[in-house]
Amino acid sequence: MSYGTGNEWFPYYEQAFSEGSFSYRTGNELPYYEQVFSDSGVLGMQASEQKAIQVTDLTVAYQDKPVLWDIDLDVPPGVLLSIVGPNGAGKTTLIKAILGLVRPAAGNVLIYDKPYEAQRQIIGYVPQRGSVDWDFPTNVLDVVMMGCYGALGWIRRPGKKERELAMQALEKVGMEAYATRQISQLSGGQQQRVFLARALVQDATVYLMDEPFQGVDATTERAIVTLLQELRADGKTVVVVHHDLQTVTDYFDWVMLLNIRRIASGPVDEAFTSDNLRETYGGRLAFMK
Amino acid sequence: MENLSILTHFDYTLMIVAVGAALLGTVSGALGSYAVLRRQSLLGDAISHAALPGIAIAFLLTGSKTPLILVLGAAIAGWLGTLLIMSIVRLTRIKYDSALAIVLSTFFGFGLVLHTLIQRTGNANQAGLDTFLFGQAATLLERDVLTIGILGGIALVVMLIFWKELKLLVFDEGFAASIGFPTRTLDILLTSLLVVAIVLGLQAVGAVLMSAMLVAPAVAARQWTDRLRLMVFLAACFGALAGVSGTIISSTASRIPTGPTIVLCATVVVGLSIAFAPNRGLIWDRIRQQRNRRNLKMETSRY
């Protein structure tokens, strides 16, 4: 194959760029489906066509032990979904598999019809609070600004703009007064808010959160729920690993019951039945009535 | 007559040695901060021990004692050792600490055997290879210092370029991966920088105690600050301080190995930091406790 002088193809390349046909998602432009949803707020109709998250035949195994077995999960856009299940059910692993942090033995994951790698810019992640060392020498603002690192890419440092974004996010979680606080001085609930603020800075369309309610007091729990519901009202899709069965009906509109296999998933009033719960938890649910 | 010539050469030699030690301390102190924050303090120990056979093999193959060649051999061996540790942890059920111990002792043992063999051959050129065990800063020549300066400088520049990425890797690896940074590659980059810092220090500090140059300055620096930037800077300063004082003491007193002397100097810095640093220091802690107790007593007795 020859390009002659090697120069003649170059103008095409440039042209393509300026016309935007090679456009790289900046995160500012909304895809059409999202506009549809944020305008209408309808969840039912288009949801059957467009999936925010589509997990198909997903199996994950550590050594030879399956942690997730043949999981199918469709999450329509704009829902607030909780994943519940007993300890060791694979909830965290499912989140990590959706994020591409764990390599599945089989199956695949699509975010808005594309593989994860192509959609990183529209995904926000809140890891478990206990997964990092909170004695790391840094302050709150610095951690929140890490939410910009993905958009910044390699080498570029966060500047004034990123600082402002981080301050706005801190205001949303009620932590603006703690911006310069060393992170080891935070309580559990404050640590969780900092992680949420970092995810807000990512300005994502799909959020994946691993136990954001773990070890927080009632006030913080209330604040986090309000925040999650605001995200949903903005048309975002939020998936939350959750432990407290009592609050599932109050906080969430969708639920997935998981115990290695998917027991059920769907709107809370359909999927969150005592039969399904018994199957998920193996009849150890005396407190549920 | 001989005494006189020693005196005239004394200042120059000492200056070379001090500059070398300062560069060394700066590089290992700065990069050691990352190792300490990642809880990989012992990895440095494994790398430095694993580097020993590399020096011997490089010498056997080339017959030269050019610092760059020996450093290269050390780096390759240290690298292989690290890679081996990672593979053992990933592929077998052996835990990280056991893998460290296995690789460290095996490589070090192999290195000792090779060094003994080289000594037996009676090659006149071999003299000085054993300084790599406990370090002999007095043997540092201009070319050694130049090697340390150039390679160490490169390592520091790379660290500064990828500052944001390395910070994120150390603080929250999972999040780093989720936003698309190749954490495996970054991990290898960071480990490679550590390898560079370690092999540069082998001649002056020695394989046995080199890890102290990584760990001690960083631990001391952490006591004084809660900012990563300042911690790395302070660790570099402490490293230089310990390096210079240790090497000067060891090269003025006759034939004290440098490694142990530097470690003792670094220990003094660590001890002072643990005792006197504000907020994290022991004394500060004690004062705060007593003040709190007194305040509580006053408040509760009022009613």
Side-chain angles (χ1 to χ4, degrees), chain B residues 159-211:
Chain B
M159 178 195 85
L160 289 174
I161 289 176
F162 295 106
W163 180 270
K164 176 181 95 207
E165 288 76 14
L166 292 176
K167 180 169 78 176
L168 186 60
L169 175 80
V170 176
F171 176 64
D172 195 344
E173 195 173 332
F175 187 76
S178 84
I179 59 176
F181 287 109
T183 49
R184 192 87 168 265
T185 312
L186 283 171
D187 194 6
I188 291 173
L189 175 73
L190 184 53
T191 311
S192 308
L193 294 179
L194 282 180
V195 170
V196 171
I198 287 167
V199 297
L200 288 180
L202 286 181
Q203 188 187 353
V205 185
V208 178
L209 292 169
M210 184 54 207
S211 67

Side-chain angles (χ1 to χ4, degrees), chain B residues 216 219-221 223-224 238 241 264-278 280-284:
Chain B
V219 167
Q223 287 292 113
W224 297 93
F238 289 157
L241 184 72
L264 290 179
C265 292
T267 313
V268 172
V269 178
V270 171
L272 291 175
S273 303
I274 289 178
F276 295 111
R280 290 185 160 245
L282 287 176
I283 291 174
W284 186 279

